[in-house]
Amino acid sequence: MSHGPAVRAMTLADCPRVAEIRVRGWQHAYAGLMPQPYLDGLDVAAELPRRRAHFEQAGAGVVNLVAEWDGEVVGWSCHGPYRDDGDGDSGDGSGGGQRAAGAELYAIYVAPDRIGRGVGRALLRESLARCAAAGHDRMLLWVLRENADARRFYEKAGFAADGAEEPFEVAGARVPEVRYARPLGAAAPDPAAV
């Protein structure tokens, strides 16, 4: 009998399951937020080579994690250095041309049948702990503005919208994203509390 998810580093052998989790995660989480024909057209077989390439070509500091439950991979997350879009906005309202510092949560997806069972929290907790241990002062992430469930999840984990927004286009539809931030280190809430 399992006591919940265990988080570990992803391996190349996990790519098929991660591709499935990502596709099913998009189809579940973004229903009603993105064009349905686009979501219906997502294909695990087409996603698999992209997941392998992203995993094999991950840059310095990029960490892929998976959550297992009773030996089955049921969630995936990826974090690393913040990807600056070159606009120089630090997101702190100061302008000043400073780059945003810290880590970024690039992705977190849970198998739809395991949502609400602590898998996402376990992945996020491990990402926060690893980023704090690596010396990052904060973690940032982008979330669809209209994705109320994801926004509540991040807010419960100590993240807050920092005022930055960017357009995101999917199949000709604009689905704006907002940026969230959470402090790490001594001033941050305990990652174990996530």
Side-chain angles (χ1 to χ4, degrees):
M1 183 175 200
S2 174
H3 292 90
V7 177
R8 64 168 172 81
M10 182 180 160
T11 68
L12 188 60
D14 295 318
C15 286
R17 181 63 175 145
V18 167
E20 181 181 2
I21 289 169
R22 186 174 185 276
V23 166
R24 301 296 174 243
W26 270 62
Q27 290 170 330
H28 177 82
Y30 302 141
L33 301 176
M34 291 185 181
Q36 195 60 45
Y38 174 81
L39 294 173
D40 292 343
L42 294 175
D43 179 67
V44 174
E47 179 64 19
L48 180 53
R50 285 192 288 272
R51 286 301 103 214
R52 282 189 178 126
H54 281 284
F55 181 77
E56 292 177 323
Q57 299 165 11
V62 174
V63 177
N64 284 275
L65 301 169
V66 293
E68 284 185 318
W69 198 309
D70 292 334
E72 177 188 12
V73 173
V74 295
W76 163 70
S77 68
C78 183
H79 68 265
Y82 182 72
R83 300 171 291 183
D84 187 358
D85 63 1
D87 70 358
D89 181 13
S90 66
D92 63 4
S94 66
Q98 296 178 357
R99 294 172 58 99
E104 181 177 353
L105 182 67
Y106 305 136
I108 186 167
Y109 292 97
V110 173
D113 66 334
R114 299 298 177 108
I115 291 173
R117 298 179 67 186
V119 176
R121 285 188 308 275
L123 286 164
L124 183 56
R125 190 171 35 249
E126 183 67 18
S127 286
L128 288 165
R130 287 179 181 228
C131 289
H136 293 290
D137 63 349
R138 64 183 176 156
M139 179 179 272
L140 300 122
L141 61 89
W142 290 93
V143 61
L144 296 184
R145 185 172 62 202
E146 302 306 318
N147 191 341
D149 290 340
R151 291 181 73 166
R152 272 192 300 276
F153 170 76
Y154 293 124
E155 288 165 3
K156 284 181 183 177
F159 285 85
D162 70 1
E165 292 195 26
E166 71 177 22
F168 183 60
E169 190 169 315
V170 176
R174 291 179 64 86
V175 284
E177 293 182 303
V178 294
R179 188 171 68 188
Y180 272 59
R182 181 186 193 273
L184 298 174
D190 182 2
V194 171

